[in-house]
């Protein structure tokens, strides 16, 4: 279980091992242990070792991979494996990030298999859902995120749902500078919470729901203060060590 609020950095395809090492030195220098929150880094897989090296005295900060294949092993040249990631020290994995869905064609069904595999491998799955701009304009945001949620959790028992972390990331807000308002984020987080409740078995309040999409230093506090927003998944604004340190140290008003 992660402590909320969660601050997750998704570096995407940025920061090789040399940059990652320099980043972590600078970041850790400014960022004490913070027992009231969880910090997670999703570096590129090839930089994971550099990040973990830097964290050897900071077990409070977790590292994950941005992607795994839906099969644990086999003839899948170029893929990341959940079990190899776990062996290498990863504790979490992003699943269904919008770039995986929309750039690489990851299906809803594949996200379900990956969430299953993550739990079998003792990785915390961070399942991302979110609507595109055209889906939002068509007024189908709620049905899109509910469909993605249902598919992502399809192969779990009710109790296992409590081991998942969700991230709501509207596709139109990712990397665009357009952020959902705290009220908009809260509304969709409420939809996800209600869908979890309807599924039964799990205490819906126990599943953290992070928001992602153009989060920055200026909007982090108000997003975190919004009802049902249990953390942040941050791309661009997590690439600068000073800026990311400031965000993870955001004072959280609840
Ligand atoms: P962004 O990316 O913060 O750059 O919008 C978020 C994400 O893709 O997880």
């Amino acid at each position: 279980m992660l402590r909320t609020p969660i601050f997750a950095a998704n570096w995407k395809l940025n920061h090789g091992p040399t940059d990652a090492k320099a980043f972590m030195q600078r970041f850790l220098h400014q960022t004490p242990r913070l027992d009231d929150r969880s910090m997670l880094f999703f570096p590129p897989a090839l930089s994971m070792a550099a990040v973990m090296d830097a964290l050897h005295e900071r077990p409070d900060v977790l590292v994950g991979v941005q992607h795994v294949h839906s099969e644990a092993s086999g003839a899948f040249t170029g893929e990341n494996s959940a079990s190899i990631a776990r062996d290498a020290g990863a504790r979490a994995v992003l699943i269904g990030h919008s770039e995986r869905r929309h750039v690489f064609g990851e299906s809803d069904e594949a996200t379900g298999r990956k969430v299953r595999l993550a739990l079998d491998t003792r990785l915390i799955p961070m399942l991302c859902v979110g609507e595109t701009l055209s889906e939002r304009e068509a007024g189908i945001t709620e049905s899109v995120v509910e469909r993605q949620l249902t598919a992502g959790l399809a192969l779990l028992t009710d109790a296992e749902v409590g081991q998942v972390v969700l991230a709501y990331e509207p596709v139109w807000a990712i990397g665009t500078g357009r952020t959902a308002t705290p009220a908009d984020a809260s509304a969709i987080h409420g939809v996800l919470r209600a869908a979890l409740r309807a599924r039964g078995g799990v205490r819906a309040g126990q599943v953290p729901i992070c928001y992602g999409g153009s989060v920055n230093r200026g909007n982090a506090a108000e997003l975190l203060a919004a009802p049902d927003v249990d953390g942040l998944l941050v791309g661009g604004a997590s690439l600068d060590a000073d800026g990311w340190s400031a965000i993870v140290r955001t004072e959280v008003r609840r």
Side-chain angles (χ1 to χ4, degrees), residues 29-50:
H29 187 66
Q30 303 172 56
T31 316
R33 255 171 221 271
L34 298 165
D35 291 333
D36 63 343
R37 58 197 66 198
S38 302
M39 293 183 250
L40 267 159
F41 281 91
F42 292 97
L46 290 173
S47 299
M48 208 175 85

Side-chain angles (χ1 to χ4, degrees), residues 9-222:
N10 173 13
W11 283 356
K12 309 190 183 190
L13 209 44
N14 300 290
H15 288 336
T18 309
D19 283 355
K21 186 175 171 195
F23 177 109
M24 293 310 294
Q25 260 170 7
R26 200 172 166 101
F27 171 80
L28 292 172
H29 187 66
Q30 303 172 56
T31 316
R33 255 171 221 271
L34 298 165
D35 291 333
D36 63 343
R37 58 197 66 198
S38 302
M39 293 183 250
L40 267 159
F41 281 91
F42 292 97
L46 290 173
S47 299
M48 208 175 85
V51 173
M52 295 209 1
D53 262 5
L55 288 173
H56 69 281
E57 282 174 11
R58 290 293 300 269
D60 57 308
V61 183
L62 301 182
V63 180
V65 280
Q66 299 170 8
H67 159 71
V68 289
H69 189 54
S70 53
E71 300 292 329
S73 63
F76 302 107
T77 301
E79 281 289 351
N80 275 347
S81 147
S83 54
I84 294 173
R86 173 74 211 189
D87 188 20
R91 298 284 307 278
V93 54
L94 291 179
I95 295 173
H97 186 275
S98 80
E99 285 142 28
R100 298 306 312 178
R101 293 179 190 268
H102 298 292
V103 182
F104 297 100
E106 185 163 297
S107 67
D108 285 346
E109 188 263 333
T111 66
R113 281 188 283 133
K114 292 178 184 193
V115 171
R116 173 74 264 158
L117 179 65
L119 291 190
D120 290 342
T121 317
R122 293 180 296 116
L123 290 171
I124 299 165
M126 187 179 268
L127 174 65
C128 306
V129 300
E131 82 286 5
T132 61
L133 184 57
S134 60
E135 288 165 338
R136 185 172 191 85
E137 286 171 350
I140 57 171
T141 297
E142 295 187 12
S143 63
V144 168
V145 298
E146 281 167 354
R147 187 200 76 226
Q148 292 172 334
L149 179 70
T150 303
L153 304 181
L155 302 179
L156 305 193
T157 65
D158 290 342
E160 285 172 333
V161 173
Q163 299 172 45
V164 173
V165 175
L166 298 180
Y168 168 56
E169 296 204 308
V171 179
W172 49 268
I174 296 180
T176 59
R178 286 183 64 187
T179 320
T181 63
D184 280 346
S186 213
I188 301 304
H189 287 216
V191 167
L192 294 168
R193 193 82 73 199
L196 289 170
R197 206 170 290 121
R199 197 182 191 274
V202 65
R203 274 189 290 129
Q206 173 191 327
V207 176
I209 308 177
C210 299
Y211 169 79
S214 295
V215 173
N216 58 42
R217 269 166 96 153
N219 59 26
E222 57 173 4

